[in-house]
């Protein structure tokens, strides 16, 4: 039987800052932009007792804990520390799938003959991280990815939880909020319908969950029963999803270029919905008539999966390209920093974000039934320049199933 680990660093960014600056130890610390319009990237455990959490608006964090210490992010430094953490992971198995800088799945099934069972390997990893990097991690051990991820969160910080083989019985009493994709907006609606635990979701008719949760509903039903045969893929979510187009006639008008970015954003969003992913990074690519190409990228405050959000970010990036003479022969939009599940709806725009998600699902259903021409956006019907002789490219790393 498989043994999967999910290892999650505890308050990673904040813990790194407290490790590096002894004056911050034991104090309430948040990492994020100092502006009141900023977002909390990480919250130390000392500040969490005041109700402060990561992804919270900084203004709210300052209201809840006025004496909190706000530290500007040092992303390059966190990336370097993350490399050290992942080097520890890979001592025990090559099957490491990073989900972000501070968490990963590990398949240790084939490593047991060398290092012991899953619990032993998880303990050794936690000890190595603590002794060598002066940081703590929490680990979950189970026979599938979904359950291992839940287990790693049950006894934070510095926790280690091993789940029994009978996952359905273990998962059944847990609250529905343990399920990815069920956030502050969705949970109250589901609870009003009588769904309070994962067991309730496991017993629910699949069609009802699909109606309430969209395309994720069917997967939610399976996961709630502990049915998850997804492999730990070392390539994992590291790849991007993108669309680009080469034009027979160069584009010379800004509005025409913007419309192509919307078309790309729509294609990318549909792939994200199909794969059950959200993205933190948006990249725009332009190639001019003289074959010079440039890219610009932006990291978003929260993951997104809808065409409108991706297009809005793309339009902003368009203003960052240098001025050049001649037309544009190729445009492209891609997303990276992929994470499993839909975005946290409350944090990226509440009801507006929920409506955007439903629009993407509707577009996907219509196009699946009637083909790619079954539905399009009104803006894309107003194209003023020829885009004949199109060469399309849609790139995506297949998501583990």
């Amino acid at each position: 039987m498989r043994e999967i680990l999910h290892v999650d660093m505890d308050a990673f960014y904040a813990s790194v800052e407290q490790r590096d600056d002894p004056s911050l130890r034991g104090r309430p610390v948040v990492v994020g932009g100092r502006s009141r319009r900023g977002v909390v990237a990480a919250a130390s455990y000392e500040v969490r007792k005041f109700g402060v959490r990561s992804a919270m608006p900084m203004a709210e964090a300052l209201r809840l804990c006025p004496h909190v210490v706000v530290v500007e992010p040092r992303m390059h430094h966190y990336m370097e520390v993350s490399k050290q953490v992942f080097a520890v992971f890979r001592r025990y198995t090559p099957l490491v799938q990073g989900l972000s800088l501070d968490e990963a799945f590990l398949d240790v099934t084939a490593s047991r003959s060398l290092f012991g069972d899953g619990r032993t390997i998880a303990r050794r990893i936690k000890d190595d991280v603590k002794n060598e990097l002066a940081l703590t991690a929490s680990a979950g051990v189970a026979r599938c990815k979904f359950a291992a991820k839940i287990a790693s969160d049950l006894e934070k910080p510095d926790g280690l939880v091993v789940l029994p083989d009978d996952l359905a019985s273990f998962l059944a009493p847990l609250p529905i909020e343990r399920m990815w994709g069920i956030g502050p907006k969705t949970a109250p609606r589901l609870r009003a319908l009588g769904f309070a635990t994962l067991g309730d979701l496991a017993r629910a008719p699949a069609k009802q969950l699909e109606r309430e949760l969209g395309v994720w509903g069917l997967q939610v039903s399976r996961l709630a029963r502990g049915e998850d045969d997804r492999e730990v893929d070392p390539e994992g979510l590291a790849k991007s999803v993108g669309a680009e187009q080469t034009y027979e006639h160069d584009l010379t008008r800004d509005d025409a270029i913007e419309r192509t970015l919307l078309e790309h954003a729509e294609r990318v969003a549909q792939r994200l919905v199909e794969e059950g992913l959200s993205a933190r990074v948006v990249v725009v690519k332009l190639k001019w008539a003289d074959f010079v190409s440039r890219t610009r990228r932006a990291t978003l405050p929260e993951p997104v999966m809808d065409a409108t959000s991706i297009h809005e970010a793309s339009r902003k990036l368009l203003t960052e390209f240098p001025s050049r003479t001649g037309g544009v022969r190729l445009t492209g939009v891609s997303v990276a920093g992929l994470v499993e599940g839909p975005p946290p709806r409350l944090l990226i725009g509440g009801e507006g974000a929920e409506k955007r998600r439903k629009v993407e699902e509707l577009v996907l259903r219509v196009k699946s039934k009637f083909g790619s021409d079954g539905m399009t956006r009104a803006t894309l019907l107003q194209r003023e320049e020829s885009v004949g002789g199109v060469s399309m490219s849609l790139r995506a790393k297949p998501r583990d199933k």
Side-chain angles (χ1 to χ4, degrees), residues 34-226:
R34 295 181 181 276
S35 166
R36 296 183 68 86
R37 293 187 177 183
V39 175
V40 175
S44 71
Y45 284 94
E46 293 84 356
V47 79
R48 295 187 186 189
K49 63 184 180 181
F50 296 96
V52 177
R53 296 289 185 272
S54 62
M56 174 181 289
M58 187 62 71
E60 185 176 357
L62 294 172
R63 179 182 63 80
L64 292 171
C65 184
H67 59 288
V68 66
V69 181
V70 180
V71 180
E72 292 282 350
R74 297 185 294 160
M75 292 307 302
H76 289 295
H77 182 54
Y78 306 146
M79 292 173 66
E80 289 303 313
V81 178
S82 174
K83 291 178 182 177
Q84 297 171 338
V85 171
F86 275 69
V88 172
F89 297 164
R90 293 189 178 96
R91 292 175 190 169
Y92 296 93
T93 176
L95 299 178
V96 177
Q97 178 182 343
L99 302 180
S100 61
L101 293 181
D102 60 343
E103 63 175 318
F105 288 116
L106 293 75
D107 187 335
V108 298
T109 307
S111 304
R112 290 176 292 192
S113 60
L114 291 174
F115 303 110
D117 61 11
R119 179 191 293 274
T120 301
I121 295 174
R123 170 54 60 192
R124 292 182 64 165
I125 289 174
K126 283 166 51 63
D127 289 345
D128 288 353
V129 168
K130 182 177 290 186
N131 295 333
E132 299 174 24
L133 304 177
L135 297 169
T136 64
S138 294
V141 185
R143 59 180 173 82
C144 71
K145 293 168 72 173
F146 172 69
K149 186 170 174 62
I150 285 182
S152 69
D153 193 48
L154 292 177
E155 294 184 3
K156 272 184 164 291
D158 202 17
L160 172 54
V161 176
V162 181
L163 296 191
D165 291 339
D166 185 2
L167 292 180
S169 297
F170 180 87
L171 296 172
L174 297 180
I176 58 174
E177 288 81 1
R178 291 287 182 182
M179 176 65 67
W180 62 265
I182 298 180
K185 281 288 183 180
T186 307
R189 188 174 77 245
L190 291 178
R191 286 183 173 274
L193 294 171
F195 300 112
T197 66
L198 294 186
D200 295 333
L201 294 177
R203 292 184 293 269
K207 287 296 184 182
Q208 183 180 11
L209 290 181
E210 185 178 15
R211 184 170 62 251
E212 297 298 332
L213 297 174
V215 293
W216 292 283
L218 297 179
Q219 188 173 11
V220 163
S221 178
R222 293 191 296 269
L223 294 179
R225 295 191 295 270

